[in-house]
Amino acid sequence: HTTGYVVAEMGALGKNQDTLGLNRAKSARQGGSSFKPLVTVAPGLENKVITAATLFYDSKTSFGKYSPANDSNSYHGIINMRDVIRYSSNVPEVKLLSLMGLSASQKFLSSIGIDVNIDNAGLSMALGTISVSPLQMAAGYAAIANKGVYITPTFYTKVVDQNGNTIIETTQEKKRVMSEDNAYIESTILRGPVSAGGTASRYSRYLGNMDVAGKTGTSEADPNHPENGYVASFLAIAPVDNTKIVLLLT
């Protein structure tokens, strides 16, 4: 995540491999709850709408004609932002986006290479209903892990001919999209899902004593179960389904 270099991209495993077919790393799909750290939490921290300790009342709530629900219709009452992410509660996320405004979220997403039409998206985008590619998601998470600095994902540095002359050389965009303080705070928030009681707690036991941050997510339109997160110097995004995508950035 500190270089933006893509170490590995893997997809379309199984009996029906097609190396010239769909590139799932760049194919957009609903981000689901994995998108919450990018669409609400990061811009919420940057715009001083929330802190990690901000309290929300997690209960069945209607926003006009829109009535989001938590998974299994389970609600936690008064809950802070850390636990909103730990338990992946939906209603507080929509409340946050409603308080902050869609344009603030749109501005942050644009800074990490994700364009959103907020006229079409509405408040449901807080729950990841907009389409985003695994590569875009990985780059967004990498910015958090990289102390708030976004780097364009890079698959090669340059191409040279047989004489060593440079034919093509890539350019990387590097820019600060979050303060270092807010990136650190969000990283600590993202430790919740992989801690006891979190939605991804079952994975933490495989990683020993390493410091881990991450977020799970599903969507109604796409039942894949992506796990996004970072450990040490690597960031990974791995939707787990029949077509398995694994994307690693250093």
Side-chain angles (χ1 to χ4, degrees):
H1 60 264
T2 58
T3 67
Y5 296 151
V6 178
V7 177
E9 174 191 323
M10 179 175 68
L13 298 179
K15 297 180 180 179
N16 299 316
Q17 296 184 39
D18 181 2
T19 57
L20 300 179
L22 178 67
N23 182 347
R24 289 176 173 80
K26 294 184 178 181
S27 177
R29 62 179 71 189
Q30 287 192 1
S33 290
S34 293
F35 200 48
K36 291 174 179 177
L38 304 178
V39 70
T40 57
V41 182
L45 290 168
E46 281 295 288
N47 286 280
K48 297 180 170 58
V49 179
I50 57 165
T51 69
T54 297
L55 298 176
F56 289 91
Y57 190 54
D58 182 20
S59 64
K60 185 68 176 177
T61 305
S62 294
F63 303 81
K65 295 181 179 180
Y66 178 48
S67 298
N70 286 352
D71 184 46
S72 301
N73 281 307
S74 176
Y75 301 91
H76 298 86
I78 297 174
I79 187 173
N80 66 31
M81 197 64 226
R82 291 187 184 279
D83 284 340
V84 169
I85 293 297
R86 181 193 301 271
Y87 305 130
S88 199
S89 296
N90 289 334
V91 174
E93 292 283 353
V94 180
K95 288 183 176 180
L96 170 53
L97 184 58
S98 180
L99 287 170
M100 177 173 57
L102 276 69
S103 59
S105 179
Q106 180 190 43
K107 182 178 179 180
F108 178 80
L109 292 173
S110 178
S111 74
I112 58 173
I114 301 172
D115 294 323
V116 178
N117 184 334
I118 57 176
D119 293 330
N120 295 333
L123 289 175
S124 67
M125 80 180 207
L127 308 183
T129 56
I130 66 173
S131 294
V132 60
S133 73
L135 183 62
Q136 289 173 313
M137 292 276 281
Y141 271 77
I144 302 169
N146 195 30
K147 301 180 180 180
V149 176
Y150 172 84
I151 306 176
T152 306
T154 303
F155 287 81
Y156 68 94
T157 53
K158 63 180 178 180
V159 177
V160 298
D161 63 18
Q162 59 188 7
N163 297 316
N165 299 312
T166 299
I167 305 299
I168 304 173
E169 191 165 6
T170 190
T171 57
Q172 280 187 314
E173 180 184 20
K174 296 183 180 182
K175 60 181 178 180
R176 179 162 295 282
V177 295
M178 296 180 71
S179 71
E180 186 171 341
D181 288 345
N182 283 334
Y184 172 79
I185 291 169
E186 182 153 18
S187 287
T188 66
I189 291 173
L190 289 173
R191 292 172 188 162
V194 292
S195 301
T199 55
S201 59
R202 63 188 181 278
Y203 298 109
S204 60
R205 66 178 181 271
Y206 300 116
L207 299 170
N209 295 322
M210 287 188 289
D211 203 5
V212 184
K215 181 71 183 75
T216 59
T218 57
S219 70
E220 292 182 2
D222 189 343
N224 298 342
H225 194 189
E227 312 290 345
N228 301 337
Y230 40 95
V231 180
S233 61
F234 282 87
L235 178 139
I237 175 170
V240 181
D241 67 342
N242 292 332
T243 56
K244 291 186 177 67
I245 304 164
V246 176
L247 193 70
L248 292 176
L249 282 77
T250 58

